[in-house]
Amino acid sequence: MIGLDLSSVEDARALVHRIGDAGTFYKIGYQLGYAGGLSFARELVESGKKVFLDLKLHDIGNTVEAGVRAVSQLGVTFLTVHAYPQTMRAAVAGREGTALKILAVTVLTSYDDDDLVEAGYAPGHAADLVARRTVQARDIGIDGIVCAAPEASRVRALLGPDRLIVTPGIRPAGAATGDQKRVMTPQEAIRGGADHLVVARPIIQAVDPRAVAQAIVADISAASAG
Ligand code: C5P
């Protein structure tokens, strides 16, 4: 899916138009979401596209459940929440009876062991917290996990075959990595167990976004076939 990390609906609409049928699934995060992106999500859904709302919700259970119920009316496919048990239970309750799928973000990929200690966690490994929260997400009934591509095979082993794994930090061979530290190519990520890949800058900053999107889709198809 293509990350619409843009600051206006006009820019997003123009990009989606340029990409045309090479793009079927779009991710809207904080940047566009808080700049009219929620209405635009509905517009995309009405035009036949799928939408992943990357809002990373986390609040008291009652608020999360009500918020998720409201999002479920937009017709989007995926919504993210932080993988705290109370938050995950509330999100699962809020999407009950709808087609919305909830994805949990276990530990933000910008956090390492030291960042967790600074945030008040007992000294330990971020990877262990990812594993613990993955198991909790599975047991609570979360539909999938967002994780860095190199973590996908470990997460898959804990999650079982039925839940989804979505990985950002994807770079076609030879593309600039930017601030992403743990990147994989589309083929590597799919072979590692990912179901969906999020790609933003390599497509949205390309001279020809449609061509890059088509090349990535071909890469994914080759990995799935092979
Ligand atoms: O431009 P790039 O392909 O690196 O963008 C990746 C997208 O995935 C961005 O929208 C970013 O916010 C998101 N993301 C991420 N790492 C996470 C979760 C989400 O890069 N752990």
Side-chain angles (χ1 to χ4, degrees):
M1 48 192 108
I2 300 167
L4 290 173
D5 293 337
L6 299 164
S7 51
S8 79
V9 169
E10 291 70 38
D11 288 351
R13 197 180 280 125
L15 183 70
V16 170
H17 186 71
R18 264 185 94 186
I19 294 172
D21 61 7
T24 55
F25 212 146
Y26 287 94
K27 180 172 93 74
I28 295 175
Y30 283 8
Q31 187 182 6
L32 186 61
Y34 288 127
L38 298 185
S39 312
F40 184 60
R42 200 188 277 278
E43 183 181 319
L44 281 175
V45 169
E46 282 166 2
S47 72
K49 306 293 184 191
K50 289 183 170 183
V51 176
F52 167 11
L53 271 189
D54 190 13
L55 299 182
K56 295 190 179 70
L57 302 184
H58 182 46
D59 206 314
I60 61 168
N62 186 59
T63 301
V64 170
E65 184 174 340
V68 169
R69 192 163 297 125
V71 168
S72 75
Q73 302 306 306
L74 294 174
V76 302
T77 304
F78 295 146
L79 169 70
T80 42
V81 302
H82 282 284
Y84 287 76
Q86 225 183 66
T87 295
M88 293 193 286
R89 280 189 208 100
V92 167
R95 71 101 161 89
E96 212 50 62
T98 75
L100 179 66
K101 290 191 183 336
I102 306 294
L103 304 177
V105 177
T106 55
V107 178
L108 292 168
T109 48
S110 58
Y111 274 58
D112 63 16
D113 298 350
D114 293 339
D115 293 310
L116 289 173
V117 170
E118 189 187 11
Y121 290 83
H125 296 297
D128 294 335
L129 193 52
V130 169
R132 179 190 177 96
R133 290 181 171 172
T134 297
V135 169
Q136 289 174 328
R138 181 197 67 197
D139 294 347
I140 286 168
I142 286 288
D143 302 296
I145 293 285
V146 181
C147 66
E151 289 168 5
S153 53
R154 187 156 178 253
V155 167
R156 175 59 74 205
L158 296 168
L159 203 57
D162 302 335
R163 313 296 170 87
L164 298 166
I165 295 181
V166 177
T167 59
I170 300 298
R171 292 292 177 270
T177 53
D179 58 358
Q180 296 282 14
K181 294 187 180 119
R182 290 178 289 150
V183 301
M184 280 187 150
T185 65
Q187 289 214 10
E188 287 168 341
I190 294 289
R191 293 202 173 119
D195 300 289
H196 295 277
L197 314 180
V198 177
V199 186
R201 283 165 292 182
I203 294 177
I204 68 177
Q205 294 180 355
V207 176
D208 187 346
R210 178 175 164 83
V212 176
Q214 283 171 326
I216 291 173
V217 169
D219 211 11
I220 293 171
S221 306
S224 308

